Amino acid sequence: MRFFHLSDLHIGKQLHYYNLKEEQQAVLLQIVRRVEEYRPDAVLICGDIFDRAVPSGDSYTVFDRFLQELSDITPSIPVMIIAGNHDNARRLNYASSFLEKQQIYLSVSPPTQSEEHLRKVVLQDQYGEVDFYFLPFIKPGYVRHLFADGEVTDYESAVREILNREDIDYSRRNVLLSHQFYTNKGQAPERCDSEQAVISVGGLEDVDVSVIEQFDYVALGHIHGGQTVKLPHIRYCGTPLKYSVSEERHKKSITMVTLGPKGAEALIETIPLAPTREVRKERGTLREVIGRADEDNRHDFVSVILTDEKEPYHPREQLEEVYDYILEVRIDNTRTRNRMKEQPSGEISMRPMELFQSFYQEMQGQPMSLEEELLLERILDEGKGDAG
């Protein structure tokens, strides 16, 4: 049994205000081409299909085209999809009964009634049947009412009790699709800046991996960097695209899993995905950074850190003459480092004027002019008058 493991498409996501529709369409087409090439028995998509709970019309169009291209492949290949924390269950579930006729299976929420159970799809190969269990993103409050008082108190107990009530036959080959934050005895997986929404306070969202170890493969979504959790068969496949500068060194890919007979270790391989343009950092003086631009890298998404001791004149404008997609321009020199040291630890209170000045410096790589400061002060004063 061979299947593709994907997750966290985040269709509709922007990168520092740049629309990624073109990049997402291109990488989804690559995935379709790899499906045509490798002919897996199934395609698993483990949550966060969309970046927002209310996707744009363009986002629906991109996803619809992706599903259409997958369903056009003959003979047909089952597609299994669960909802993530970014997805709106009702919106994602739209037309699910029609999609099922095309072997596109959706599960958008955990059981909420006593008679309901996790969705299960059974496929067969030369070694027998494989049971695929769908566990969309779950919060304790979603399922607490199904159990006795005190049984579900946190995310881990919610996942554990929902799986226990399925009475899974672990003598069979079982695959779980899940979108949660799994840890190994408190050791968290490596995270990225693009996962701000998944970082919880005090480990409240943690689910220990011991809850799911008995499955033959666990296809995870939620974390944006491809990695395993404790065991090779429990894996986050990562996003198909880089969604933050912190992912600069990631090698994005499709995870391809081959299950043999029961008891045999799953064969896990990765198929590289090539982005339309890279996401990367440039660090150095303005002259150095401009000098490194060439036809191969000038079209990338670039985050720039300038180290000039004497801050250059309008650096962003100069950089935009050679780089097409500037994400941010920051200054890192003696003055900015000293300013950071001078800031008191703990909560820092800044006036609105200071916040705007800081934001402007961050985005433009230079301080506001006197004329701009006077204009901003007038706008803020007018705002105070309106508020009064």
Side-chain angles (χ1 to χ4, degrees):
M1 178 72 62
R2 172 186 289 176
F3 53 87
F4 280 8
H5 169 196
L6 306 166
S7 77
D8 295 85
L9 306 183
H10 284 282
I11 296 171
K13 189 173 182 63
Q14 293 186 329
L15 182 61
H16 286 248
Y17 306 105
Y18 286 110
N19 189 316
L20 296 177
K21 178 182 177 181
E22 176 186 331
E23 287 75 16
Q24 291 182 326
Q25 286 178 314
V27 79
L28 292 176
L29 181 58
Q30 282 186 58
I31 292 169
V32 172
R33 296 292 176 257
R34 298 293 83 77
V35 172
E36 293 173 332
E37 178 182 355
Y38 288 89
R39 305 295 309 181
D41 298 295
V43 175
L44 282 51
I45 309 177
C46 300
D48 282 359
I49 310 305
F50 297 109
D51 190 57
R52 297 178 181 274
V54 183
S56 66
D58 274 351
S59 298
Y60 279 117
T61 300
V62 170
F63 188 50
D64 178 71
R65 181 177 177 182
F66 177 52
L67 293 182
Q68 183 64 55
E69 289 172 335
L70 288 176
S71 64
D72 285 344
I73 298 172
T74 54
S76 62
I77 296 173
V79 178
M80 307 180 194
I81 303 170
I82 61 170
N85 58 301
H86 279 248
D87 297 312
N88 180 292
R90 289 185 177 180
R91 293 176 186 274
L92 186 58
N93 201 46
Y94 177 74
S96 59
S97 57
F98 172 78
L99 292 173
E100 190 167 331
K101 295 178 182 179
Q102 309 299 317
Q103 291 198 77
I104 299 172
Y105 304 98
L106 280 164
S107 181
V108 299
S109 59
T112 58
Q113 304 297 325
S114 58
E115 67 274 13
E116 294 178 348
H117 288 272
L118 294 181
R119 180 160 206 172
K120 181 173 73 171
V121 172
V122 182
L123 300 182
Q124 188 155 356
D125 65 5
Q126 66 268 38
Y127 302 110
E129 293 181 331
V130 178
D131 297 336
F132 291 83
Y133 287 90
F134 295 49
L135 180 61
F137 180 70
I138 185 173
K139 291 183 177 181
Y142 295 173
V143 299
R144 186 177 288 122
H145 62 281
L146 297 176
F147 303 96
D149 289 346
E151 286 188 349
V152 172
T153 57
D154 54 17
Y155 282 76
E156 182 175 319
S157 56
V159 172
R160 182 178 60 249
E161 295 305 323
I162 281 293
L163 291 176
N164 284 344
R165 77 192 289 270
E166 295 300 314
D167 195 24
I168 296 170
D169 182 357
Y170 287 105
S171 69
R172 294 167 60 87
R173 291 179 296 165
N174 299 294
V175 175
L176 178 68
L177 290 71
S178 181
H179 191 98
Q180 301 289 154
F181 187 66
Y182 288 96
T183 61
N184 177 23
K185 297 181 179 179
Q187 182 179 349
E190 181 181 340
R191 295 178 289 200
C192 313
D193 291 345
S194 57
E195 298 158 9
Q196 292 175 357
V198 311
I199 298 174
S200 61
V201 178
L204 295 178
E205 293 189 10
D206 294 10
V207 179
D208 192 78
V209 73
S210 59
V211 174
I212 54 174
E213 282 183 319
Q214 287 182 274
F215 285 87
D216 296 274
Y217 184 79
V218 183
L220 298 178
H222 208 22
I223 298 299
H224 291 186
Q227 57 195 292
T228 59
V229 184
K230 185 180 180 181
L231 298 168
H233 73 279
I234 304 174
R235 180 171 175 80
Y236 287 105
C237 63
T239 55
L241 285 174
K242 298 175 183 178
Y243 287 135
S244 69
V245 180
S246 66
E247 298 166 58
E248 176 185 21
R249 300 190 183 282
H250 286 194
K251 302 296 182 185
K252 298 300 184 179
S253 64
I254 300 165
T255 295
M256 182 170 68
V257 182
T258 304
L259 287 183
K262 180 67 179 181
E265 186 175 343
L267 174 62
I268 300 170
E269 304 169 272
T270 55
I271 303 170
L273 292 170
T276 304
R277 51 182 57 86
E278 284 290 351
V279 178
R280 60 188 182 82
K281 299 174 186 175
E282 282 284 356
R283 181 184 178 89
T285 65
L286 179 61
R287 176 176 294 185
E288 290 169 343
V289 172
I290 289 176
R292 289 197 289 265
D294 58 36
E295 192 54 36
D296 291 333
N297 65 28
R298 64 184 299 268
H299 308 294
D300 294 342
F301 291 112
V302 182
S303 171
V304 179
I305 301 176
L306 296 178
T307 59
D308 302 77
E309 285 299 325
K310 182 180 180 181
E311 295 181 14
Y313 178 73
H314 288 281
R316 190 179 187 95
E317 285 83 346
Q318 295 187 57
L319 289 163
E320 287 174 341
E321 291 180 6
V322 293
Y323 292 106
D324 293 338
Y325 300 94
I326 301 292
L327 300 178
E328 60 183 345
V329 180
R330 292 190 291 152
I331 304 294
D332 181 19
N333 57 21
T334 302
R335 185 182 65 82
T336 59
R337 285 192 294 271
N338 287 340
R339 188 173 63 186
M340 290 295 294
K341 291 178 182 177
E342 291 170 0
Q343 290 181 345
S345 58
E347 185 176 347
I348 300 174
S349 177
M350 297 180 69
R351 297 185 301 111
M353 184 67 178
E354 292 172 333
L355 287 170
F356 275 106
Q357 288 172 324
S358 177
F359 178 74
Y360 186 95
Q361 172 79 37
E362 183 79 10
M363 298 303 296
Q364 299 296 328
Q366 62 188 28
M368 298 177 73
S369 67
L370 178 60
E371 181 181 354
E372 289 166 333
E373 288 184 355
L374 291 173
L375 175 61
L376 179 57
E377 283 183 351
R378 187 165 71 248
I379 292 172
L380 292 173
D381 287 340
E382 291 175 355
K384 290 178 183 177
D386 293 339

